[in-house]
Amino acid sequence: MKAEKQQRAITAFQDFLTTPLETLLQQHLNTDTSTVVALFHHMAATVPAYKDFLAHHGVNPDQYQTFEDFQRLPQLTKENYLLRYPLAQLCRHGELQTCDMIAVSSGSTGKPTFWPRFFADEMQIATRFEQVFHDSFYADTKRTLAVICFSLGTWVGGMYTTNCCRYLGSKGYPITVVTPGNNKEEIFRVVQELGSGFEQVVLLGYPPFLKDIIDTGIARGIEWQQYQIKLVMAGEVFSEEWRSLVGERVGSQHSCYDSVSLYGTADAGVLGNETPLSICIRRFLANHPEAARALFGESRLPTLVQYDPVSRFFEVIDGTLLFSGDNGIPLVRYNILDTGGIISYDAMLEFLRKYSFDPVAELQNQGGRGVRQLPFVYVFGRSNFTVSYFGANIYPENVTVGLEQPVIREWVTGKFVLQVQEDADKNRFLSVVVELAPGVEESEEKKQAIASSILTQLKRLNSEFANYVPPEYQMPQVALAPTGDPEYFPVGVKHRYTRK
């Protein structure tokens, strides 16, 4: 075990340090689908939980040799796989010590889910960060201060991001990392005291939190423009209007190069990332909704990123994304319940030509970096009725408990609509529209009591909410609607508890 771990770590780190980014991002051009077939056979041979899972589904690994065979394999989900086996059995050789770190995310009950990983697993994710810092921020040529604004501790985002940014420093990038976490005062202190010593400052955190940092800083007289601010975000879909607004407030001159969103998950790290090319395309689509509808099949604009199929291999089944990738817990055909789709590089450019738009030429006029022949994945979000707020997944079940408390349960039917909305200044807030019971009249006292009850249960049940969302943004804004309200609670229609 010791020798195997040492060799995995040495090989992974050496490959990362010595292989140019250009080479890393072109490996997929010379690699076919045999990579994921090999991952399947490796899992079937070394992961006890997967061996048992396959046996229960009558799968003999020896009979699954081609990619066509691979596509017939049963899907993995959190319920049918991750929650059914002890943590160690999900790891290689059934031994948790094959990993060296455990991160935490919380589920609908607030009970933590543990995600073990090994140093070598982080190298693939470090390449995603290298792509961001090199292609978007030119951080190979600029002294860069990376300010980690994600929650620290056991939460997956902060420590994972910190590690990957430090690996870039080991590779020779002039990057220095500082970790105030989501402590607003500490963020202001480190930026003001350290920022002037660097050519650019990168803030890494959840979109609404970073906007709050920027707006609060402006109110305090901080001149963000002097720090050449760049943003790395994760966890939530945001509009291009939002990107433009925040960019203006920090003095951004190049929308396609000054901010990047990551498509990540606690299960497997970063699955894909925005690139200058994907942002250029998304901004075009935001201004041409008819093109967006033709491309995505919906009028809402999804997150659009590029991904490396050698690192994370995507499939689409009935509008739902599956991915396969090697991690502390290896996963094959894992259904994370995200709705979306995939588009090849060539197919994307061909589609855009129909609308007389050439994003590659557009970027050449802006500097030229960030054009990689990687496929695209677009993501509308979870299909299991969660909403994402400051990076925390909020579940209807959490709100339900707040409405089931004494006295309050006499006022309401139990139906509600949970959504994240924006005010006129593009600040996000948590909105809950609650259906009143027949004959119950609306009052300000009821609104306040319901909001307080929901907040109490969110903080009690959802540890992500309690740790990720700043206290001043935690109180939900409650609106009360009469029974059968046609906008939110139409009679005879299956009720949906969330709206995106």
Side-chain angles (χ1 to χ4, degrees):
M1 173 69 71
K2 179 180 178 181
E4 181 184 344
K5 287 183 69 176
Q6 285 180 337
Q7 193 55 52
R8 281 188 66 212
I10 291 170
T11 300
F13 199 37
Q14 186 174 42
D15 287 347
F16 173 73
L17 291 179
T18 60
T19 307
L21 178 63
E22 191 75 26
T23 302
L24 290 171
L25 296 182
Q26 288 184 341
Q27 288 177 347
H28 72 101
L29 298 175
N30 305 312
T31 305
D32 59 19
T33 51
S34 61
T35 302
V36 288
V37 177
L39 174 62
F40 158 67
H41 284 288
H42 176 72
M43 276 185 65
T46 64
V47 179
Y50 196 54
K51 288 182 185 179
D52 183 74
F53 177 84
L54 293 176
H56 275 85
H57 284 80
V59 173
N60 179 353
D62 294 337
Q63 297 175 354
Y64 288 71
Q65 298 295 328
T66 68
F67 181 63
E68 288 69 27
D69 295 332
F70 176 88
Q71 292 178 300
R72 294 187 291 109
L73 289 170
Q75 298 178 25
L76 301 181
T77 67
K78 194 170 186 177
E79 287 69 28
N80 76 5
Y81 186 64
L82 296 176
L83 298 179
R84 290 190 60 185
Y85 296 96
L87 191 60
Q89 295 294 298
L90 297 163
C91 301
R92 294 176 181 85
H93 312 298
E95 297 179 343
L96 189 56
Q97 59 267 34
T98 58
C99 301
D100 63 3
M101 189 162 187
I102 296 175
V104 171
S105 67
S106 64
S108 59
T109 64
K111 181 181 179 181
T113 298
F114 296 110
W115 303 106
R117 66 178 185 269
F118 183 53
F119 171 83
D121 301 318
E122 296 181 340
M123 292 302 106
Q124 295 182 74
I125 311 306
T127 298
R128 304 278 70 75
F129 281 88
E130 184 178 7
Q131 185 181 357
V132 166
F133 276 78
H134 179 278
D135 287 2
S136 294
F137 304 154
Y138 289 67
D140 56 319
T141 64
K142 296 181 180 180
R143 288 176 288 108
T144 302
L145 179 66
V147 184
I148 310 301
C149 304
F150 290 107
S151 301
L152 299 174
T154 57
W155 307 104
V156 66
M159 293 302 296
Y160 215 140
T161 302
T162 299
N163 290 349
C164 289
C165 289
R166 291 191 70 191
Y167 301 147
L168 297 184
S170 298
K171 194 166 182 174
Y173 284 75
I175 292 175
T176 303
V177 182
V178 63
T179 56
N182 59 352
N183 183 323
K184 291 170 66 173
E185 296 304 321
E186 190 68 2
I187 292 169
F188 294 138
R189 188 175 75 86
V190 300
V191 170
Q192 290 178 286
E193 294 190 18
L194 300 174
S196 59
F198 295 83
E199 294 174 86
Q200 61 183 353
V201 174
V202 180
L203 304 179
L204 301 97
Y206 296 113
F209 182 70
L210 292 185
K211 182 178 183 297
D212 181 43
I213 289 295
I214 291 163
D215 289 349
T216 304
I218 291 173
R220 294 187 181 192
I222 296 177
E223 297 179 0
W224 292 110
Q225 294 84 350
Q226 67 178 303
Y227 301 114
Q228 298 297 308
I229 296 293
K230 306 293 187 289
L231 304 176
V232 175
M233 299 165 285
E236 301 185 17
V237 179
F238 53 81
S239 67
E240 288 304 315
E241 290 83 1
W242 186 95
R243 192 196 306 269
S244 295
L245 173 66
V246 173
E248 289 170 8
R249 292 181 179 179
V250 297
S252 169
Q253 300 296 315
H254 305 287
S255 297
C256 295
Y257 287 90
D258 290 345
S259 66
V260 171
S261 182
L262 307 175
Y263 172 32
T265 168
D267 317 52
V270 179
L271 305 179
N273 53 277
E274 281 191 328
T275 62
L277 180 62
S278 75
I279 294 171
C280 184
I281 293 169
R282 191 173 190 259
R283 291 180 73 79
F284 170 81
L285 294 171
N287 291 322
H288 298 81
E290 73 287 354
R293 282 193 295 271
L295 184 61
F296 302 126
E298 295 197 31
S299 55
R300 55 180 174 151
L301 196 63
T303 295
L304 179 66
V305 304
Q306 290 183 276
Y307 70 98
D308 181 357
V310 174
S311 172
R312 297 291 182 264
F313 186 85
F314 278 99
E315 302 171 81
V316 181
I317 305 293
D318 298 327
T320 299
L321 295 169
L322 311 183
F323 74 84
S324 302
D326 202 356
N327 319 278
I329 297 176
L331 296 168
V332 162
R333 308 201 83 214
Y334 181 63
N335 188 338
I336 198 174
L337 300 178
D338 276 342
T339 57
I342 54 180
I343 305 168
S344 72
Y345 176 86
D346 290 337
M348 177 66 84
L349 294 189
E350 181 180 352
F351 172 85
L352 294 171
R353 276 194 290 270
K354 299 177 184 177
Y355 293 86
S356 302
F357 181 63
D358 184 350
V360 176
E362 187 83 12
L363 290 179
Q364 286 173 345
N365 296 329
Q366 299 184 37
R369 282 194 185 185
V371 177
R372 306 284 186 180
Q373 294 185 27
L374 294 165
F376 296 83
V377 59
Y378 60 90
V379 190
F380 285 113
R382 295 291 167 86
S383 58
N384 59 349
F385 309 125
T386 65
V387 299
S388 182
Y389 186 54
F390 284 83
N393 287 324
I394 300 178
Y395 302 80
E397 294 89 336
N398 302 154
V399 177
T400 296
V401 177
L403 299 179
E404 292 174 343
Q405 300 305 304
V407 181
I408 289 174
R409 61 192 177 202
E410 307 300 327
W411 301 338
V412 302
T413 65
K415 287 185 180 180
F416 59 90
V417 174
L418 173 67
Q419 56 191 328
V420 176
Q421 295 185 315
E422 289 182 345
D423 61 21
D425 201 37
K426 300 293 184 181
N427 292 308
R428 293 191 173 189
F429 61 92
L430 191 63
S431 165
V432 186
V433 181
V434 178
E435 185 180 50
L436 289 169
V440 176
E441 294 184 0
E442 175 182 350
S443 71
E444 190 60 34
E445 290 75 15
K446 290 187 179 73
K447 281 186 185 179
Q448 293 178 7
I450 291 171
S452 296
S453 181
I454 292 172
L455 175 62
T456 297
Q457 299 308 319
L458 277 171
K459 292 168 69 174
R460 181 177 72 87
L461 296 171
N462 191 317
S463 51
E464 281 186 353
F465 178 89
N467 285 275
Y468 287 10
V469 182
E472 62 268 34
Y473 288 90
Q474 289 184 349
M475 181 66 77
Q477 293 191 22
V478 169
L480 303 179
T483 307
D485 179 81
E487 181 179 357
Y488 289 98
F489 309 105
V491 177
V493 177
K494 184 177 181 181
H495 183 61
R496 294 179 64 90
Y497 285 87
T498 59
R499 289 187 183 180
K500 302 299 183 183

